[in-house]
Amino acid sequence: MLINKKKRIKYLGFDDFWFIIIGILILSFITDYLFSNSFVRHPFGKAIISWSVSLFFSTCDWFIIRSIMIFLRKRLPSFKDNSKRIFLFFIAIVSTVFLVDFFGNIILSFILGLNYNPLSRAKILLPIILISTMTMAIYEAIYFYIRLKKSIREEEQAKQMIVQTQLDTLRNQAQPHFFFNTLNTLRDIIDQNSKEDAKEFVDKLSDVYRFILESGNANLISLRDELKFAKSYIHIQSERFGNNLKVNWDIPKVSLNAMIVPMSLQLLLENAIKHNVISRSKPLVILVATKNNFLIVTNEIQPKSTQIPSTKLGLKNIEKRYTLISSKPIEIKNDGNQFIVSLPLLELSDQKNKYAGINH
């Protein structure tokens, strides 16, 4: 464990090589000072020999306690086991200090002929226990911090995956919705128009789906690209409604680089077409404009005599995607005469922090 750096980092949270060297030296000098104060009472040579005994005891204490600490971390790795593990660890520290001192001094007594008095030494060992506990507390603090940071990171990654799954679901939900409506339009064209008109419609439809495939993994795209898609969609709908459907575009160039949720504009246009009368006597006029960092889609309310039940799938889809990606919500107004939806124009920096790194 001392040699293998990867294992040290795995079980301790950091590479403790130099912490061990410096810690043992400090502990040995403190031990020597408490027991014999060798460098004050003895000549330098004898003091080194006396200090080396303290160094031996400190080294034994350190590595035995450290090994027990790693063992307990392997056996009780969970946060819920912290109290139990720390209690057992403290008992291990106390026991190790007493046992190392007891057996070490028996060996020294046998070699040097000294008398070992466990009761008198027990009082002196208390500071050693305290210092050892404080030293190991540094290990525990670092270990707790590393595990807490890892736990937070894993929790954020889990939330991020959930958000990604939700967005993927919403994105995939929007595409079949569009596909269903365009197939209905194609059916009407086949019934009412020539084959050439149907072929042209299919060509335009393939252009639209090329856009969907190319932007399918993006959570935000430029307003410029969304407008190209929306205009292709309107061109397709014009095959069905002719001049009865009019869209006025009032988008300054300065706004084209702003970001928007993919297919959001198209879904709003589709929503307007679906729920309003479009005829020669009542043409549907839709205004698409920008104002105060919003893309605003406005249409006159011309309810159909036979109203199609609304699932509000399109609006819910857009609202949820904006909620997941940004803190800026969409705005919906219905005054009985006009239906107005305002989509926030975003920048990449407007994405929520937990989601900013996974735009693609």
Side-chain angles (χ1 to χ4, degrees):
M1 182 65 72
L2 179 62
I3 298 174
N4 192 317
K5 181 178 177 180
K6 288 184 178 180
K7 287 187 177 180
R8 290 201 302 271
I9 294 174
K10 179 180 179 181
Y11 293 110
L12 301 174
F14 70 109
D15 183 2
D16 69 335
F17 180 81
W18 288 108
F19 185 61
I20 290 173
I21 301 299
I22 296 171
I24 289 176
L25 287 174
I26 293 174
L27 188 60
S28 66
F29 280 113
I30 293 174
T31 303
D32 178 79
Y33 173 77
L34 292 173
F35 282 99
S36 59
N37 199 8
S38 302
F39 291 95
V40 174
R41 297 172 55 189
H42 303 295
F44 184 75
K46 189 174 180 181
I48 289 294
I49 295 173
S50 179
W51 167 75
S52 64
V53 174
S54 297
L55 179 64
F56 169 76
F57 278 95
S58 299
T59 303
C60 290
D61 283 337
W62 192 289
F63 281 106
I64 292 173
I65 292 172
R66 183 176 176 273
S67 298
I68 293 171
M69 176 179 66
I70 293 171
F71 172 78
L72 289 174
R73 288 180 181 180
K74 290 180 179 179
R75 293 295 299 271
L76 303 168
S78 175
F79 276 108
K80 67 180 181 181
D81 297 325
N82 276 356
S83 299
K84 181 179 179 181
R85 180 172 54 79
I86 291 173
F87 174 75
L88 292 175
F89 188 35
F90 177 73
I91 298 298
I93 291 173
V94 175
S95 302
T96 300
V97 171
F98 274 106
L99 290 173
V100 168
D101 183 74
F102 177 75
F103 287 108
N105 277 283
I106 287 178
I107 294 171
L108 290 177
S109 298
F110 178 77
I111 296 173
L112 303 176
L114 301 174
N115 292 323
Y116 174 65
N117 187 342
L119 293 178
S120 62
R121 291 185 63 82
K123 296 179 181 179
I124 305 175
L125 287 176
L126 290 177
I128 305 301
I129 293 172
L130 179 61
I131 294 168
S132 298
T133 302
M134 292 173 64
T135 304
M136 294 301 131
I138 296 174
Y139 271 114
E140 283 298 318
I142 294 173
Y143 182 60
F144 180 83
Y145 172 74
I146 296 297
R147 284 196 305 156
L148 182 62
K149 190 164 69 171
K150 181 182 178 182
S151 175
I152 292 172
R153 184 171 61 249
E154 289 175 348
E155 184 179 352
E156 286 301 316
Q157 289 174 345
K159 289 180 181 178
Q160 185 172 291
M161 290 178 65
I162 292 171
V163 173
Q164 179 67 59
T165 302
Q166 289 175 322
L167 274 170
D168 288 343
T169 301
L170 291 169
R171 198 183 290 119
N172 293 334
Q173 189 183 63
Q175 292 172 12
H177 187 249
F178 168 71
F179 185 57
F180 175 77
N181 285 281
T182 50
L183 285 180
N184 284 337
T185 302
L186 177 59
R187 182 194 59 194
D188 291 340
I189 290 173
I190 292 172
D191 289 341
Q192 302 172 16
N193 300 74
S194 66
K195 288 184 178 180
E196 292 302 319
D197 290 335
K199 287 180 181 179
E200 185 180 357
F201 179 88
V202 171
D203 290 339
K204 292 294 182 182
L205 186 59
S206 67
D207 291 337
V208 167
Y209 269 94
R210 186 178 298 109
F211 170 84
I212 292 175
L213 291 173
E214 290 175 353
S215 64
N217 293 325
N219 300 319
L220 291 176
I221 63 169
S222 70
L223 179 57
R224 177 183 286 103
D225 290 337
E226 178 71 10
L227 284 172
K228 288 180 183 178
F229 173 48
K231 288 178 179 179
S232 296
Y233 170 76
I234 291 299
H235 182 89
I236 289 171
Q237 295 302 324
S238 295
E239 294 291 335
R240 178 181 176 187
F241 297 106
N243 294 327
N244 300 327
L245 173 63
K246 298 178 182 180
V247 180
N248 296 324
W249 309 92
D250 185 13
I251 311 293
K253 289 184 178 180
V254 69
S255 300
L256 295 178
N257 292 324
M259 308 300 285
I260 194 172
V261 169
M263 296 185 69
S264 54
L265 174 57
Q266 179 272 326
L267 284 171
L268 292 180
L269 296 171
E270 183 177 331
N271 194 59
I273 293 169
K274 178 181 177 182
H275 294 291
N276 291 281
V277 171
I278 305 176
S279 65
R280 185 175 298 175
S281 59
K282 280 191 173 183
L284 178 64
V285 180
I286 303 172
L287 172 62
V288 181
T290 57
K291 183 179 180 181
N292 298 329
N293 289 322
F294 279 89
L295 178 69
I296 303 171
V297 180
T298 306
N299 66 270
E300 298 289 334
I301 297 176
Q302 302 173 174
K304 295 180 178 180
S305 55
T306 305
Q307 190 63 255
I308 301 174
S310 175
T311 61
K312 296 185 179 179
L313 174 65
L315 286 175
K316 288 179 181 178
N317 185 294
I318 298 168
E319 282 184 304
K320 286 181 180 178
R321 282 196 285 165
Y322 263 98
T323 300
L324 289 170
I325 291 174
S326 166
S327 57
K328 298 180 179 180
I330 73 171
E331 298 176 3
I332 303 172
K333 295 180 181 179
N334 183 347
D335 62 6
N337 296 316
Q338 288 187 325
F339 191 78
I340 305 169
V341 180
S342 301
L343 303 178
L345 295 176
L346 306 174
E347 297 180 4
L348 291 177
S349 58
D350 290 324
Q351 294 182 97
K352 292 180 179 178
N353 289 335
K354 66 181 179 182
Y355 205 72
I358 46 176
N359 187 50
H360 295 281

